[in-house]
Amino acid sequence: MAEGVGKASHDGAGHRARLRQKLAISGGEALHDHELIEYLLALAIPRRDTKPLAKALLREFGGIGGLVTAEWDAIGRVPGMGDTSIAAIKIVQATMLRMLRNTVAERPVLGSWQALLDYLRADMAWLGIERVRVLHLNSRNMLIRDETMSEGSVDEAAIYTREVIRRAMDLGSAALILVHNHPSGSVDPSRQDIDITRQIAEAGKRLGITVHDHVIIGAQGHSSMRALGLL
């Protein structure tokens, strides 16, 4: 069924009013995951019962995290989803990431570590491919640039010491935090992860650039090579 096409009248109006009242009185915590998505979709396609579609989306992507971080085209392959409803999902992600990123950018990263982890997890934990990014910090450990260095397959993305250090020099970075995700969900560092991190740290040290950490993000949480004693 195409987006916005359905019965001229359905019995969802009263149900939506009850959801709205629950939200107004008790907040978002009072709503189930499918009710959050259902109400969001109702704003985009108001003449349709969106509960079945909300449940189908959550099944397809494994929950809210997987849904809001899914690629536009992937969401569009779910029957009933069109550009307007996809945009409603993606604007939630964009707003959430903007809010979290602004929190990270406002104060020294090392002093707001949990805020950084919240931001990275929201952005990367449910990605279907591996992505490597580098956070560049100034001498006060304030974020000056957050860059994606590479993207790869479901289990590998390349990162090269020379490219990371050259970019740090171009930006005048005083310190770096390396980040990548594991689409498998596991956050255990591989031997390759450990080796490349140590190579970058050693190259940076010779130039006065500190590698504070290498953080691995996954659906099961995160790991820190610094905390694990690997850096």
Side-chain angles (χ1 to χ4, degrees), residues 141-162:
N141 287 320
M142 300 289 288
L143 182 68
I144 57 175
R145 193 68 65 92
D146 173 3
E147 292 189 333
T148 297
M149 291 296 294
S150 68
E151 291 186 339
S153 63
V154 296
D155 59 2
E156 186 175 3
I159 181 170
Y160 300 104
T161 300
R162 184 184 299 110

Side-chain angles (χ1 to χ4, degrees), residues 40-54:
L40 177 64
L41 292 174
L43 301 176
I45 39 179
R47 293 182 297 278
R48 180 174 172 185
D49 178 6
T50 54
K51 180 189 285 188
L53 181 55

Side-chain angles (χ1 to χ4, degrees), residues 84-210:
T84 301
S85 49
I86 299 170
I89 299 291
K90 299 309 287 183
I91 202 67
V92 168
Q93 181 195 23
T95 302
M96 173 182 64
L97 291 177
R98 182 74 56 86
M99 178 182 67
L100 292 170
R101 190 185 190 284
N102 286 347
T103 299
V104 171
E106 288 168 358
R107 47 194 178 215
V109 170
L110 299 186
S112 53
W113 193 248
Q114 188 57 53
L116 175 65
L117 294 176
D118 290 343
Y119 167 55
L120 295 173
R121 183 167 168 76
D123 194 30
M124 301 179 72
W126 292 274
L127 290 176
I129 60 171
E130 191 165 302
R131 176 179 295 166
V132 178
R133 65 205 289 178
V134 179
L135 310 184
H136 294 264
L137 311 180
N138 63 18
S139 59
R140 295 185 296 124
N141 287 320
M142 300 289 288
L143 182 68
I144 57 175
R145 193 68 65 92
D146 173 3
E147 292 189 333
T148 297
M149 291 296 294
S150 68
E151 291 186 339
S153 63
V154 296
D155 59 2
E156 186 175 3
I159 181 170
Y160 300 104
T161 300
R162 184 184 299 110
E163 293 179 4
V164 173
I165 297 301
R166 180 189 297 125
R167 185 59 176 155
M169 293 176 66
D170 288 345
L171 294 172
S173 307
L176 307 173
I177 297 173
L178 311 176
V179 186
H180 80 282
N181 66 299
H182 281 176
S184 67
S186 169
V187 294
D188 295 331
S190 68
R191 183 72 252 175
Q192 183 180 13
D193 294 337
I194 297 168
D195 289 344
I196 190 64
T197 302
R198 288 174 174 170
Q199 290 169 21
I200 294 171
E202 183 59 33
K205 185 178 181 180
R206 291 195 292 267
L207 297 168
I209 301 168
T210 301

